[in-house]
Amino acid sequence: VARARSVEAESEAQAEARRRRTSEQGSHCAGEPSLTFHVGDVTEVGEEISGDFDLVLVQLVISVVGGVDRRRKLLRVARQRLRPEGRVLLSASGASEDINEQYAELYRKDEPLTGEFRTYLSRGADGQVLYPTHHFTEDELSNLFSAEGLRICRLDREREASSRRPDQAAWFFYAVAGRAEASGETEDTR
């Protein structure tokens, strides 16, 4: 029996997860995997999500979860829930000052407010701060994985349009990692 669980960190995603969980309970098709939504802090996943997983998907959340300690805790939780031969699939925003002067300006302008280079405050159309966003260098992301006992098997960097700024280019990282003690693979970074 396949099972999937989702932990959402962002309030609008939490509301959508709750709505879907309520409207879709018991409505999945025979043979389809069961999907369970859990709403909460992704760095504080507790007993409500028990067991080990073959795959942990971390899609851009590491870029918006908070400071270095919370990023490390997120990866630590992912590793703790991972089966020995399981994989973490992670996407993260990449440092983009080399291809986008507007990001370079955001980094400079917001560093005094965030206390961290390449962390800026994402703002809504009205200028209201939504959340801090961090853009990683390859070394920084690799070091985070390593510090939390994860070994990167593959790391790709892609130039894409930013989701919040679709008319602007940005770098994004896509990583596949496993537990360091279970991985006999060599690191392949591209």
Side-chain angles (χ1 to χ4, degrees):
V1 171
R3 65 186 174 120
R5 304 212 179 180
S6 171
V7 178
E8 298 294 342
E10 201 266 332
S11 60
E12 288 180 27
Q14 290 175 359
E16 180 64 11
R18 278 191 205 104
R19 187 194 66 73
R20 285 186 182 189
R21 182 175 185 198
T22 302
S23 68
E24 296 175 4
Q25 278 183 337
S27 67
H28 64 277
C29 300
E32 293 272 326
S34 170
L35 178 60
T36 304
F37 289 99
H38 294 277
V39 179
D41 183 334
V42 294
T43 66
E44 297 291 338
V45 175
E47 294 307 312
E48 72 276 6
I49 299 188
S50 60
D52 295 330
F53 294 88
D54 294 321
L55 180 69
V56 175
L57 176 64
V58 182
Q59 187 171 347
L60 290 175
V61 71
I62 199 164
S63 297
V64 298
V65 77
V68 175
D69 290 340
R70 290 183 54 78
R71 292 179 208 130
R72 288 189 63 177
K73 193 167 185 184
L74 172 64
L75 290 179
R76 188 175 316 126
V77 167
R79 185 191 166 285
Q80 289 169 347
R81 298 295 185 195
L82 199 62
R83 288 190 174 145
E85 297 301 323
R87 292 289 181 255
V88 173
L89 303 182
L90 178 137
S91 61
S93 301
S96 299
E97 67 267 26
D98 61 329
I99 59 171
N100 186 325
E101 181 55 39
Q102 289 181 322
Y103 276 123
E105 180 57 30
L106 277 173
Y107 301 158
R108 283 189 296 274
K109 182 180 105 184
D110 286 355
E111 183 178 7
L113 301 172
T114 65
E116 185 177 32
F117 185 55
R118 294 191 187 93
T119 297
Y120 66 94
L121 300 172
S122 290
R123 295 171 175 87
D126 61 359
Q128 182 176 342
V129 172
L130 302 172
Y131 47 81
T133 301
H134 184 71
H135 286 188
F136 293 88
T137 65
E138 185 173 329
D139 285 344
E140 180 184 19
L141 197 56
S142 295
N143 290 338
L144 271 175
F145 273 88
S146 180
E148 294 310 321
L150 292 164
R151 181 174 180 80
I152 293 177
C153 308
R154 181 177 179 143
L155 181 62
D156 295 319
R157 185 176 80 152
E158 300 288 333
R159 182 181 175 142
E160 300 175 10
S162 168
S163 61
R164 294 200 49 80
R165 295 174 178 82
D167 60 327
Q168 296 179 27
W171 291 112
F172 291 88
F173 287 107
Y174 298 92
V176 178
R179 288 177 166 218
E181 71 273 11
S183 176
E185 301 157 344
T186 59
E187 190 170 337
D188 174 22
T189 57
R190 296 180 202 182

